[in-house]
Amino acid sequence: MHNSITLGQYYPVKSPLHSLDGRMRIFVTLIYMIMAFVCNSAASFLMLALFSLVLIFISRVPFGVIMKSIRAILIILLITFIMNVFFYTSDAEPLFEWWIFRLYTEGIVKAFMMAVRITALVAVSCLMMSYTATPIDITHSIEAIFEPIKFLREPIHSFSMMMFIALRFIPTLTDDTDRILTAQKSRGADLSEGSLFARIRNLTAIMIPLFVSSFRRADELAIAMECRCYHGGEGRTRMRTLHYRASDFVILALFVVYAAAVVWLNSIKIFGY
Amino acid sequence: MNDTYDTQNKIVLENVTFAYNPGTPLEKRALENISLCFERGKVTGIAGHTGSGKSTIVRLLNGLEKPNGGRVLLDGEDIWANPKKIGKIRFRVGLVMQYPEYQLFEETVRADISYGPRRMGLDDEEINRRVIDSAAICGVSESDLDRSPFELSGGQKRRAAIAGIMAMRPEVLVLDEPAAGLDPEGRSVIFGAVLRYMREYDASVIIVSHSMENMAEYCDNIAVLRQGKLELSGKKEDIFSQPELLIKAGLDVPEITSLAMKLEERGIRVSNSVFTVGYTADKLSALFEERRRAKNA
Amino acid sequence: MSYIKAENLCFSYDLGEGKKKKALENVSFEIEKGQYVAIVGRNGSGKSTLAKILNLVLEPDSGKLTLAGTEINDSITDAQLLDIRRRVGVVFQNPDNQIIATVVEEDIAFGPENLGLPPEEIKKRVKTAIEAVGLNGFERSEPSRLSGGQKQRVAIAGVFAMMPECIIFDESTAMLDPIGRRDIMAIMKSLSQKGITVINITHLMAEAAMADRILVLNKGHFECSGTPAEIFSDTDLIKRAGLAIPQSAELVNELRRRGYDVGFGITPEECAGKIEEYYRSLL
């Protein structure tokens, strides 16, 4: 009865984006996001969309998988689009007028741009932070980024160790929950029946043993870590050091070209947009 | 073991087949065509290596899973005849999971033991009677009843948890590795309590374990599982007369059994079926005496 | 000088409201470097308290403890403490609560990483440790998908990678199935053959039988120590300390009690030999 939960949505294939150095990953993702907000012309938005597609292609994560994360924000996307279309006001001649609604061409274009921006941001941040990297990789990367800043090193180390252990214990605690749930069910606990009060009461039958077991685990883990000479981040080394590879710089170059292209394309207007 | 519909049989698995996640790519066959009868007033051991399907049988008996094929019969009736009533079945087939002490949660031991009976909707008087009674069977002292379960020692906690199941007065008591991690004393207290419960309530007891020494000591019948199939089943004496089959199923035969096998290799036949120290000592003493007499004659 | 020396260790748990529960009383013993020792006793004999004192989790109320040649007292520095922890490793009971990483080799690297070793050295040690416990091929596996016995082997490898002089097994096989238990026993033996001091704290006499020496604890007292043959043939002691000896030893004890002088053995092989010898001598 093993519970296998893959945290996040890591898609296990080999690609230059999967093997990207953690620090570089965070850096280029930031470039991407900033540029997504810098975009203001139709041409640069086209560039944004195109570049996002290129990234997905490089990652070798199927397009359909990425679409899943976009589907999740479809409602938000729709609402922003409608808001932008209907609440845009301008002195210009409206394209369409009915009752209190006035639609402007510019409003529609702006709404469209916003939709592209949100879609691209969600798709690419999921791609960079979830599909091509595990949460543990991300945790390590954050720690590595702050490594050179001395006064931040220790708190960031503690934080990332905490995250790391939390992630490590999710399958264990899921198994615990399952076991306790089974045990209480066979004593007649029923979480789906009865009044709200009865249900809360039944929940305590699950929660208390779960807390007790978690605390016990935490306690034993702390002792085990201490016995393995853990004493914080001070003087600690790592077996896997992060290394920049040639392909990392190719990816970086790609992002720099994209950033430059966005800046340049912002000054070029197509049909005035 | 005997015919399926014999009244002696409390709970019966009839051609049971089970797979986790059936019909998906993750499908995992756990049990294949298992037929087993568990008699009233008898202890049946289910032995098997990790992954042999023992825990799945436990889940099926307790109605936590529904078989994909075949039936689970309690008193001759399919427990899944009315799926809505499966909750009632769980009161009749009590399940003591591995490390049951981790399911304790109430403020007092008394409240914890009453949890099951209360869920059954019994009145306070009856609940109280049952709490006192099962606490006594399990050796939980009256003074401990009003303490917090978390203050008890490991062995006491386990006994309190088992009392919580016994208080539901199940007709079938299923225990998964009840003695795991206990020392010899703790182990004999637990098994003693289980046997006492069985005798007092004419219950059917099923013990799942990979310790063949415990089985040898406490079970009447034994079923051996291997990779989801029933490898062997029958009276304890018959099972231990074929130790090679137990070894084939990846089980450890009791040390005394392997000692007897070694003696047999050396030309000293102790008995057809060896599984306890006392019995072996008796047989060997007899052999020694016989030899002495032969010498004197 | 002995490697581990306990002199008059006392410890009581504070139950609150001024109540105390004695767990250890004047426990003294010595363990030589390179020995394979089992510490046995029933539940409540004080063996887990002793384990916690040896792991430096608990501090004795009184008495003196010397670990790896260093006396443990209040003046001990953090650096010394770290050094002792490196030299004396511990493998605990529950494998799930001592594995830190989500990849086998990264977990094994945890200890060496804490020691601040260079990455190349860590890699080398992880490799050696994986071989020592026979986990080749599982380097990149996820520990939560391994069996109990395999998880425990990961834990042992994690300790082994720190190159300890001594490893304490604190009920490390209690949660394992017979196969997992056998694997761990074999590893303990091979560690001992590598010159590592092995201390196995257990209530399973079949495990204690593998040790060079057994220390028996009973009700918080140090009862006695001796070779497995000495301990197992002392039926009074076994009864008093609430232990269950292996069935073969029990059988020969029983036969001797009935007046058949078969001698003594521990393993089934040994006992079968002794019984046969006696049987043949009768004619």
Side-chain angles (χ1 to χ4, degrees), chain C:
Chain C
M1 202 171 84
S2 44
Y3 187 69
I4 294 176
K5 191 172 183 184
E7 289 167 86
N8 300 314
L9 295 180
C10 292
F11 187 85
S12 317
Y13 288 99
D14 203 345
L15 299 179
E17 297 159 20
K19 275 191 280 185
K20 292 215 167 200
K21 196 181 131 213
K22 273 189 185 151
L24 289 180
E25 251 189 301
N26 290 321
V27 170
S28 304
F29 59 85
E30 286 178 53
I31 293 172
E32 300 300 325
K33 200 164 180 178
Q35 264 191 342
Y36 182 173
V37 176
I39 299 180
V40 303
R42 64 180 132 199
N43 292 357
S45 62
K47 64 182 190 312
S48 38
T49 308
L50 181 62
K52 287 195 180 109
I53 290 177
L54 292 176
N55 305 343
L56 309 180
V57 173
L58 291 180
E59 207 179 315
D61 298 337
S62 65
K64 206 165 96 178
L65 177 68
T66 310
L67 271 186
T70 312
E71 194 189 318
I72 312 295
N73 53 32
D74 294 337
S75 64
I76 205 160
T77 64
D78 284 353
Q80 276 178 310
L81 196 66
L82 213 59
D83 184 54
I84 293 171
R85 289 209 192 281
R86 187 203 58 82
R87 295 209 223 168
V88 182
V90 191
V91 179
F92 295 92
Q93 184 184 99
N94 192 335
D96 283 325
N97 300 350
Q98 51 188 323
I99 289 176
I100 290 126
T102 46
V103 178
V104 167
E105 59 176 8
E106 281 175 19
D107 184 73
I108 298 172
F110 182 75
E113 287 178 338
N114 290 332
L115 298 174
L117 297 171
E120 283 317 306
E121 172 68 15
I122 300 178
K123 274 179 205 154
K124 214 160 66 196
R125 287 192 180 194
V126 168
K127 202 164 166 272
T128 321
I130 282 177
E131 273 160 23
V133 300
L135 276 177
N136 311 58
F138 289 95
E139 291 85 351
R140 301 293 302 160
S141 301
E142 213 179 298
S144 62
R145 285 169 192 274
L146 301 180
S147 74
Q150 288 170 327
K151 284 183 196 170
Q152 246 0 10
R153 283 197 266 165
V154 174
I156 296 173
V159 173
F160 186 79
M162 296 199 289
M163 294 197 165
E165 298 162 350
C166 171
I167 302 181
I168 300 174
F169 291 86
D170 184 1
E171 303 263 5
S172 311
T173 65
M175 297 179 82
L176 305 182
D177 65 11
I179 291 178
R181 183 168 290 155
R182 230 172 1 227
D183 288 349
I184 302 304
M185 292 312 300
I187 292 173
M188 280 189 208
K189 192 159 189 178
S190 85
L191 290 172
S192 167
Q193 281 160 353
K194 289 188 172 90
I196 294 173
T197 310
V198 174
I199 301 177
N200 184 17
I201 299 170
T202 178
H203 64 246
L204 295 165
M205 292 299 119
E207 285 188 13
M210 319 257 308
D212 301 331
R213 201 158 71 99
I214 299 178
L215 305 182
V216 183
L217 285 181
N218 188 21
K219 297 177 185 159
H221 292 274
F222 174 74
E223 184 84 35
C224 67
S225 85
T227 62
E230 283 164 8
I231 301 289
F232 293 170
S233 57
D234 187 343
T235 43
D236 283 344
L237 166 74
I238 293 300
K239 209 167 179 179
R240 194 165 64 237
L243 303 171
I245 59 171
Q247 288 182 326
S248 308
E250 202 183 328
L251 177 71
V252 287
N253 279 345
E254 175 63 20
L255 289 173
R256 271 187 313 169
R257 198 184 61 80
R258 295 184 185 194
Y260 305 106
D261 191 17
V262 291
F264 185 74
I266 293 170
T267 62
E269 190 61 46
E270 225 179 319
C271 293
K274 289 275 163 74
I275 292 169
E276 187 197 8
E277 222 172 275
Y278 179 77
Y279 182 72
R280 306 263 174 247
S281 75
L282 285 175
L283 207 71

Side-chain angles (χ1 to χ4, degrees), chain B residues 50 183 185 252 255 262 295, chain C residues 42-43 177 182 248 282:
Chain B
T50 311
D183 64 3
E185 248 169 32
D252 271 347
E255 195 178 299
K262 290 202 159 63
K295 189 182 174 186
Chain C
R42 64 180 132 199
N43 292 357
D177 65 11
R182 230 172 1 227
S248 308
L282 285 175

Side-chain angles (χ1 to χ4, degrees), chain A residues 94-108:
Chain A
L95 183 72
F96 178 80
E97 202 173 346
W98 176 73
W99 191 35
I100 54 161
F101 297 113
R102 279 184 192 155
L103 300 193
Y104 301 90
T105 321
E106 205 180 342
I108 295 172

